[in-house]
């Protein structure tokens, strides 16, 4: 007898678990762009943030709930009345909304909260009831479930379902589980929680031992029907189960897993690129599905095999994740309409001043570089999105720098502030350092560089370099992004963007 193919709910936590990990913070505009793309990808649920964590988080969840159509919009809340009320308010504009409330259930979490199991159970029940009075769709999580006492785990799950939880999530919060063991945990929950068939079982696995995806698939085989995952596998520490690996494993091994998702896999590549472009953090070349080499066949034998018969070495096609060769999309004669249309196709919805500024940058780039690729456009728009909420206090007018063997790296920079142009020079350890020192002298803002990432946006001699930095100014961290065919200019723009955020009311990245 043929087994039924089960629908697996894909719950994306890129904007919550992913965004809260170091180096991945996004501003509201960037989160919105990501959420719109996740809707195109057709995930079932978008966990948009943790509204009680900060005003910025609340605003981002609220904006996503207002503007993103399709997926359920979820917010995270501790099992505390204030968190739940704030979360309910944040997700309110969404047509389909979910409150995801959680409590730590393992011995160490209980100790940390100074709660007995009975007290934690009572808090969970009250939280679920409070959430259920505000939204129809409530999810309850037992944080650190894989290290929780089994009898207590069954009790608290039963109580939460009775209180109105429609989804119960079993997180392997610290990435401790082994696939067979984690699968058994799910099987035991099904066997021991009397009302379990009234709720969907979800899993949320971390990759500390590199088994987040394997554990998630093992859970599916044992009855889990929702997987929590993140694009490019981002998330706390080693990250969450990677969305693209989960989806493509289910799609490719449907024969074995008897499961399917509603994700449009052809949007996977684009979604991964968008996240890289927004955060400046790349994935390793050998990363499954979305790494640069994932579909490259370098060795002679393999190339020969692929040419003769694709299926010899290829279990998935590049097209199935939407991977196409970089195409020349625009040139210097392309107009504003073609420019904004292509941006829309790439998933960016920018308008007004930001669109004008991006178009100016595009024209300047087209003067230097004949062929403009999608990746170049992503870099230009990424810069605009990153800076969108800050007033441009200082603007670059001119810069030059020199460096060489046995010479002293020197830079001269002119910046405009209102109608005034200020020029200064500095020496440094290298041309970027000298340029940074000159900018600091002019702006009077001294920052400490916490991270500096540079990547080549496209291949070739005249490629665009994109610099993403994090700078600590005063007690806060700011991200800055700059792109140019000259890496020193890209670096200067990135620092200027971060300083403008500090001076112009832009949002700090660190929480
Ligand atoms: Mn997590």
């Amino acid at each position: 007898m043929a087994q039924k193919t089960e629908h697996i709910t894909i719950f994306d936590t890129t904007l919550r678990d992913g965004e809260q990990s170091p180096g991945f913070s996004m501003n509201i505009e960037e989160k919105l762009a990501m959420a719109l793309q996740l809707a195109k990808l057709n995930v079932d649920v978008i966990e948009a943030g943790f509204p009680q964590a900060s005003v910025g988080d609340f605003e981002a969840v609220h904006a996503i709930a207002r503007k993103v159509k399709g997926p359920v919009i979820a917010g995270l809340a501790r099992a505390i009345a204030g968190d739940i009320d704030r979360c309910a308010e944040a997700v309110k504009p969404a047509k389909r909304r979910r409150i995801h409330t959680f409590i730590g259930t393992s011995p160490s979490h209980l100790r940390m909260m100074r709660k007995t199991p009975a007290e934690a159970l009572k808090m969970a029940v009250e939280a679920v009831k409070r959430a259920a009075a505000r939204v129809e769709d409530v999810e309850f999580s037992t944080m650190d479930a894989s290290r929780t006492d089994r009898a207590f785990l069954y009790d608290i799950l039963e109580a939460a379902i009775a209180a109105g939880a429609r989804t119960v999530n079993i997180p392997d919060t610290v990435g401790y589980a082994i696939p067979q063991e984690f699968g058994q945990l799910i099987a035991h929950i099904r066997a021991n929680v009397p009302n379990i068939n009234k709720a969907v079982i979800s899993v949320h696995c971390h990759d500390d031992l590199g088994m987040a995806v394997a554990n998630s698939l093992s859970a599916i085989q044992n009855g889990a029907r929702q997987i929590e995952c993140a694009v490019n596998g981002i998330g706390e520490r080693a990250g969450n189960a990677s969305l693209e690996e989960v989806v493509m494993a289910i799609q490719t091994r449907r024969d074995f897993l008897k499961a399917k998702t509603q994700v449009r896999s052809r949007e996977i590549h684009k979604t991964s690129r968008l996240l890289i472009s927004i955060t400046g953090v790349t994935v390793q070349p050998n990363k499954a599905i979305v790494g640069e080499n994932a579909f490259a066949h370098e060795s002679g034998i393999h190339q020969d095999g692929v040419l003769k018969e694709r299926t010899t070495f290829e279990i998935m096609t590049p097209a199935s994740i939407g991977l196409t060769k970089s195409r020349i999309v625009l040139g210097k004669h392309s107009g504003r309409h073609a420019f904004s249309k292509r941006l829309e196709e790439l998933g960016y919805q920018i308008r007004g001043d930001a669109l004008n500024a991006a178009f100016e940058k595009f024209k300047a780039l087209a003067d230097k570089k004949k062929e403009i690729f999608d990746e170049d456009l992503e870099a230009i728009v990424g810069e605009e999105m990153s800076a969108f909420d800050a007033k441009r206090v200082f603007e670059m007018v001119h810069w030059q720098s020199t460096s060489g063997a046995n010479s002293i790296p020197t830079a001269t920079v002119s910046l405009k502030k209102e109608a005034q142009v200020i020029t200064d020079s500095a020496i440094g350890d290298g041309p970027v350092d000298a340029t940074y020192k000159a900018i600091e002298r002019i702006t009077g803002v001294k920052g400490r560089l916490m991270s500096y990432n540079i990547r080549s946006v496209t291949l070739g001699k005249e490629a665009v370099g994109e610099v993403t930095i994090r700078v600590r100014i005063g007690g806060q961290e700011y991200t800055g992004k700059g792109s140019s065919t000259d890496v020193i200019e890209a670096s200067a723009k990135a620092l200027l963007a971060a300083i403008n955020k500090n001076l112009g009311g832009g949002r700090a990245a660190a929480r």
Side-chain angles (χ1 to χ4, degrees), residues 16-17 204 206 240:
R16 203 278 299 163
D17 204 319
H204 175 109
H206 276 271
N240 286 92

Side-chain angles (χ1 to χ4, degrees), residues 13 16-17 20 171-173 204-206 228 235-237 239-240:
T13 189
R16 203 278 299 163
D17 204 319
Q20 77 190 33
D172 183 28
T173 306
H204 175 109
C205 296
H206 276 271
E228 303 196 358
E236 297 264 32
R237 305 182 311 281
N240 286 92

Side-chain angles (χ1 to χ4, degrees), residues 84-153:
I84 287 164
D85 295 353
R86 189 82 170 138
C87 183
E89 207 185 318
V91 297
K92 198 167 189 183
K95 196 167 161 212
R96 297 195 297 150
R97 46 192 178 266
R98 174 180 296 190
I99 294 175
H100 175 196
T101 186
F102 73 98
I103 196 163
T105 50
S106 66
S108 63
H109 277 284
L110 292 172
R111 250 195 325 274
M112 211 167 62
M113 291 189 297
R114 297 169 197 278
K115 299 283 177 215
T116 62
E119 285 166 342
L121 187 143
K122 186 162 169 269
M123 277 175 80
V125 167
E126 280 168 9
V128 170
K129 281 188 177 157
R130 193 174 188 97
R134 284 155 181 75
V135 296
E136 281 175 28
D137 184 351
V138 177
E139 173 171 333
F140 171 68
S141 272
T142 49
M143 183 161 63
D144 209 6
S146 42
R147 296 192 302 174
T148 296
D149 172 74
R150 288 293 174 91
F152 174 50
L153 184 62

Side-chain angles (χ1 to χ4, degrees), residues 389-464:
D389 57 353
K391 195 166 151 265
R392 316 279 152 99
V393 179
F394 285 97
E395 275 179 272
M396 176 71 75
V397 178
H398 161 94
W399 69 274
Q400 69 188 61
S401 73
T402 60
S403 66
N406 302 316
S407 77
I408 299 167
T410 310
T412 301
V413 176
S414 296
L415 301 180
K416 195 164 104 179
K417 187 186 182 185
E418 285 154 15
Q420 193 190 3
V421 174
I422 313 165
T423 303
D424 212 329
S425 304
I427 57 168
D429 294 332
V432 172
D433 186 48
T435 305
Y436 276 21
K437 285 190 170 130
I439 291 174
E440 286 182 352
R441 287 168 73 113
I442 297 170
T443 58
V445 176
K446 252 193 122 41
R448 194 149 74 89
L449 198 58
M450 307 303 287
S451 74
Y452 176 96
N453 280 300
I454 183 161
R455 67 182 189 101
S456 174
V457 169
T458 50
L459 298 172
K461 281 205 305 283
E462 49 176 20
V464 167

